[in-house]
């Protein structure tokens, strides 16, 4: 199974304007994918400037962009329905995201780099359809990483928008 919710991942890609703005860039990409936003730096600055409307210390240790703030930001811009899910394993997390993507036709937001970074999952590959087979294994995910084209001193280089990431790459 090879599913791309967003066939042209570059069309909705937004590079984070600041090195700590992966969440606003991720929200921006999801909004662009839903047709209610754009990928301009100005729009990202607008989203980032509104974080105080949604932030909470219970959601994020720095009191700014946590998962709940991202969901509330999407709702504020007219994209309701995103939910927060947490899983013990990456395999379970990407499988759940794939199921939700298959049901909704919408991208998923993933917290990567041990929860310190935001990725947008724009599609997936699997050994079977996860909507039909409960034991389907997601073998790769298509990612829009707002860090691209920068290189992390910890995690290495980011891949271009829409690159497939297998388990080893993740």
């Amino acid at each position: 199974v090879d599913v791309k919710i967003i066939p042209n991942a570059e069309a909705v890609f937004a590079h984070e304007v600041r090195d700590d703005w992966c969440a606003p860039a991720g929200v921006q990409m999801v909004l662009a994918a839903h047709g209610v936003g754009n990928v301009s730096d100005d729009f990202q600055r607008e989203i980032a400037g509104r974080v105080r409307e949604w932030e909470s210390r219970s959601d994020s240790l720095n009191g700014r962009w946590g998962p709940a703030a991202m969901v509330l930001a999407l709702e504020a811009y007219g994209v309701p329905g995103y939910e927060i899910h947490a899983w013990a394993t990456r395999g379970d997390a990407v499988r759940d995201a794939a199921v939700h993507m298959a049901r909704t036709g919408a991208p998923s937001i993933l917290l990567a780099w041990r929860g310190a970074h935001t990725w947008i999952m724009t599609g997936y590959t699997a050994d079977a359809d996860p909507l039909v087979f409960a034991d389907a294994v997601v073998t790769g995910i298509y990612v829009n990483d707002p860090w691209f084209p920068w290189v992390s001193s910890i995690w290495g280089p980011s891949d271009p928008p829409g690159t497939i990431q297998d388990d080893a790459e993740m």
Side-chain angles (χ1 to χ4, degrees):
V1 175
D2 190 347
V3 175
K4 288 185 181 178
I5 299 298
I6 302 169
N8 182 3
E10 286 188 30
V12 300
F13 177 75
H15 170 68
E16 55 193 281
V17 172
R18 289 182 16 182
D19 66 2
D20 60 348
W21 278 10
C22 62
V27 167
Q28 178 182 20
M29 285 188 264
V30 171
L31 292 171
H34 284 276
V36 296
N38 63 62
V39 294
S40 72
D41 289 355
D42 286 341
F43 186 50
Q44 189 175 130
R45 285 184 189 94
E46 175 188 317
I47 294 166
R50 294 182 63 188
V51 69
R52 295 285 180 224
E53 296 175 40
W54 313 301
E55 50 94 9
S56 163
R57 287 231 180 260
S58 63
D59 183 40
S60 172
L61 293 179
N62 70 3
R64 298 194 50 105
W65 286 102
M70 289 186 262
V71 168
L72 292 171
L74 291 170
E75 288 175 1
Y77 281 97
V79 179
Y82 276 78
E83 300 173 348
I84 300 167
H85 294 249
W87 296 100
T89 69
R90 179 177 46 236
D92 288 341
V94 297
R95 186 184 185 293
D96 185 53
V99 167
H100 284 281
M101 291 176 71
R103 286 185 181 143
T104 66
S108 291
I109 299 173
L110 302 176
L111 296 181
W113 299 358
R114 296 192 176 122
H117 187 57
T118 302
W119 277 355
I120 304 306
M121 184 173 154
T122 63
Y124 61 91
T125 58
D127 65 358
D129 184 343
L131 286 177
V132 176
F133 299 97
D135 60 348
V137 175
V138 173
T139 55
I141 62 173
Y142 291 96
V143 172
N144 271 17
D145 180 354
W147 189 258
F148 178 80
W150 292 340
V151 177
S152 166
S153 61
I154 299 169
W155 305 105
S158 294
D159 291 318
T163 298
I164 189 85
Q165 306 269 334
D166 64 14
D167 194 51
E169 180 69 20
M170 284 186 263

